[in-house]
Amino acid sequence: MGHLALDSESLHGRLLFAIPKKGRLHEKCLELLAGADIQFRRHNRLDVALVQNHPDIALVFLPAADIPSFVGKGNVDLGITGRDVILEAQMESYVTEVLPLGFGRCKLQVQVPERGAIRTVDDLAGKRVVTSFEVLAAKHFAAVDERLGLVGEQRTQIEYVGGSVEAACALGLADGIVDLVESGDTMRAAGLHAIDTVLPTEAVLIRSRAAKSAAHARIIDKIHARVRGVIAAREYVVCEYNIPRASLAVAAAVTPGRRAPTVSPLDAVNGEEWIAISAMVRKEEVADTMDRLTEVGAEDILIFNLDNCRV
Ligand SMILES: Nc1ncnc2c1ncn2[C@@H]1O[C@H](COP(=O)(O)OP(=O)(O)OP(=O)(O)O)[C@@H](O)[C@H]1O
Ligand SMILES: O=P(O)(O)OC[C@H]1O[C@H](OP(=O)(O)OP(=O)(O)O)[C@H](O)[C@@H]1O
């Protein structure tokens, strides 16, 4: 196949799905697309890629911060971005959050120099705050200012910078900042500490509220189901074990599964009726679940990773 000349003709009728083109969410989104078997070849320098095995979908690679307005205004049908940037773009009433994706988890926090006189948001109110999230920071401090009765010139000054926010205090530009924190490494390296949380956030799948064709609605449902399966496969394992039938109720309480555990009869062992139980268990609860199952008399407890699933 030669190079594709992408024009509105080749995109005609295709559902457009926006993916962050770089940054923290990019790689994770590519893994998700692979898990959902959405195959594409992205040609050099092109931000649009036709999906090879779904002739009705095209991917659009955009900055994460621009995705909410593209989806909100209906230029793009579906997208993945951070909840923080949706709220910052004030697009929450124009997009529908279809699914939280379990990655890109971090917090938008108010930070000040560790060695300084400012200890609380109330101390910081009325001073200078630098951020890339001016809408969310302004809303947060408007409430603080109001509570403290700060008006006019006394109110907190919010100033926008596009990047390197964490350097603002050291550079003398700000008394505090509002920025994203995950591990806290960036914050600590800049000599800052968090004194308040504006918002916890994670990556989400969003769709446009702008009216679309029934055909598009069907494709969105299909992508949604696939992505949900990939996410669930990462979060869950399958737990299988054997237990006397008499203990079914107590075992089912330990492993209720997503809907209900699967129960299969086993041949009687020494006259006692046994069953095999299979249930999905959250990965982070596996060790605890195995301990509890052992306590209630389960044997041959096996844990299986999931490659993919439909739930
Ligand atoms: N440290 C982090 N841990 C987890 N998620 C993050 C982290 N930093 C950012 N995110 C999420 O990823 C989104 C995009 O952030 P990122 O910093 O990668 O943006 P970007 O597109 O590279 O823009 P720029 O680097 O120009 O600021 C954020 O809005 C947030 O939802
Ligand atoms: O708490 P941490 O784990 O240190 O993560 C927080 C940092 O991550 C993000 O920036 P990123 O490193 O993605 O680069 P950017 O500053 O170019 O956006 C964010 O803007 C913080 O600076």
Side-chain angles (χ1 to χ4, degrees), residues 231-238 258 280-283 304 306:
I231 300 293
R234 283 183 191 162
E235 290 180 352
Y236 288 86
V237 291
V238 175
R258 278 173 65 99
M280 285 172 79
V281 174
R282 281 195 170 278
K283 264 187 190 162
F304 300 98
L306 285 165

Side-chain angles (χ1 to χ4, degrees), residues 31-32 34-37 226-238 280 283 304-310:
E31 287 169 20
L32 205 60
D37 196 30
R226 287 189 179 197
V227 170
R228 196 174 55 203
V230 177
I231 300 293
R234 283 183 191 162
E235 290 180 352
Y236 288 86
V237 291
V238 175
M280 285 172 79
K283 264 187 190 162
F304 300 98
N305 275 322
L306 285 165
D307 240 3
N308 206 334
C309 63
R310 280 302 155 93

